[in-house]
Amino acid sequence: LSPEEAKEFHKDLAGSFTGIGAEIGIKQDRLTIIAPLDDSPAQKAGLRAGDKIFAIDKLDTAGMALDYAVSKIRGPKNTEVVLTVLRKGEFEPQEIKIKRMEIKIQSVKWELLGPAKNIGYIKLSQFNEDTEKNFNIAANNILKYQPKGLILDLRNNPGGFLDTAVAIASFWLEQGVIVKERIKDQDGASYQARGRAPLSNLKTIVL
């Protein structure tokens, strides 16, 4: 990463940044909204998953690299960015003006599902600095209700810290290697389970 890219990357993993609060990606060669974050400026402005971004402040996004697009959408707090968006089923793009704000990423959300509230659900949106602590709280709260099973939702999770991902896997895996590096066909470092595994006996589905 360049120094500027590295700076932005670490801001993300710290759990906060200044922008509109939307996950974006490239789909069918076009910059696309993957999902607006809950209660974000993007969500409040009406952006939806699947919206195609044709321009950022009148700048055509055709062929634009994802990292560059993110840098154009982000900016100082309380400034505005105008996205030209084409929505599925519509034929004319619309301009959506969004005020940039400080976005705090809540990397772990949980609830109980089903008529009997006996299925635990944990949404894990990123592996950042506070994910392990908050995941531990969520898991302990769910276990108090003695659920029949658990859904772990990793959809649209862009990744994050490797050691945090190993720590989360250790909630299910009591022992053994979770990740082993391979460098030019040679084994590198190994990352071991951490030995607690409080969720190891709970039936789990991963999305």
Side-chain angles (χ1 to χ4, degrees):
L1 299 177
S2 69
E4 189 58 37
E5 289 171 334
K7 182 180 178 182
E8 293 301 317
F9 179 71
H10 284 289
K11 281 183 184 178
D12 290 352
L13 293 181
S16 66
F17 60 90
T18 301
I20 65 170
E23 298 171 16
I24 63 174
I26 305 292
K27 288 192 172 183
Q28 298 175 337
D29 298 322
R30 179 59 71 175
L31 196 65
T32 304
I33 299 292
I34 304 301
L37 303 181
D38 290 339
D39 202 34
S40 66
Q43 187 184 62
K44 292 175 181 177
L47 284 181
R48 302 176 188 172
D51 285 352
K52 303 291 186 182
I53 303 174
F54 276 64
I56 303 169
D57 287 332
K58 307 291 187 182
L59 180 64
D60 189 355
T61 61
M64 184 180 290
L66 181 60
D67 289 344
Y68 183 71
V70 169
S71 72
K72 300 299 290 183
I73 292 173
R74 292 186 181 181
K77 184 178 178 180
N78 292 324
T79 60
E80 291 184 333
V81 61
V82 178
L83 302 184
T84 304
V85 170
L86 182 64
R87 185 156 291 159
K88 185 176 181 180
E90 297 182 359
F91 299 98
E92 291 294 330
Q94 58 179 303
E95 289 189 350
I96 299 179
K97 185 182 295 184
I98 308 171
K99 181 181 286 188
R100 300 177 176 102
M101 300 295 292
E102 183 177 1
I103 308 298
K104 293 189 178 296
I105 301 171
Q106 186 178 347
S107 63
V108 181
K109 295 180 181 179
W110 72 276
E111 60 180 307
L112 295 168
L113 303 177
K117 299 296 183 182
N118 59 358
I119 301 296
Y121 171 87
I122 300 179
K123 168 69 174 175
L124 189 55
S125 60
Q126 196 176 64
F127 295 98
N128 66 24
E129 289 180 355
D130 63 0
T131 299
E132 181 181 357
K133 176 187 71 175
N134 291 330
F135 191 91
N136 187 55
I137 293 170
N140 286 334
N141 283 334
I142 286 173
L143 287 172
K144 290 177 184 177
Y145 293 91
Q146 299 180 325
K148 293 175 60 178
L150 178 68
I151 298 170
L152 176 64
D153 191 345
L154 294 174
R155 291 175 297 179
N156 299 321
N157 184 322
F161 289 119
L162 172 60
D163 58 348
T164 301
V166 170
I168 299 303
S170 297
F171 278 79
W172 286 269
L173 304 175
E174 186 173 2
Q175 60 184 354
V177 175
I178 290 178
V179 178
K180 179 178 286 187
E181 292 180 347
R182 295 283 289 176
I183 303 172
K184 294 183 178 179
D185 297 324
Q186 295 183 355
D187 288 341
S190 292
Y191 297 85
Q192 302 279 338
R194 299 187 178 180
R196 294 194 308 118
L199 302 177
S200 60
N201 294 319
L202 188 60
K203 292 180 180 179
T204 302
I205 290 174
V206 182
L207 304 180

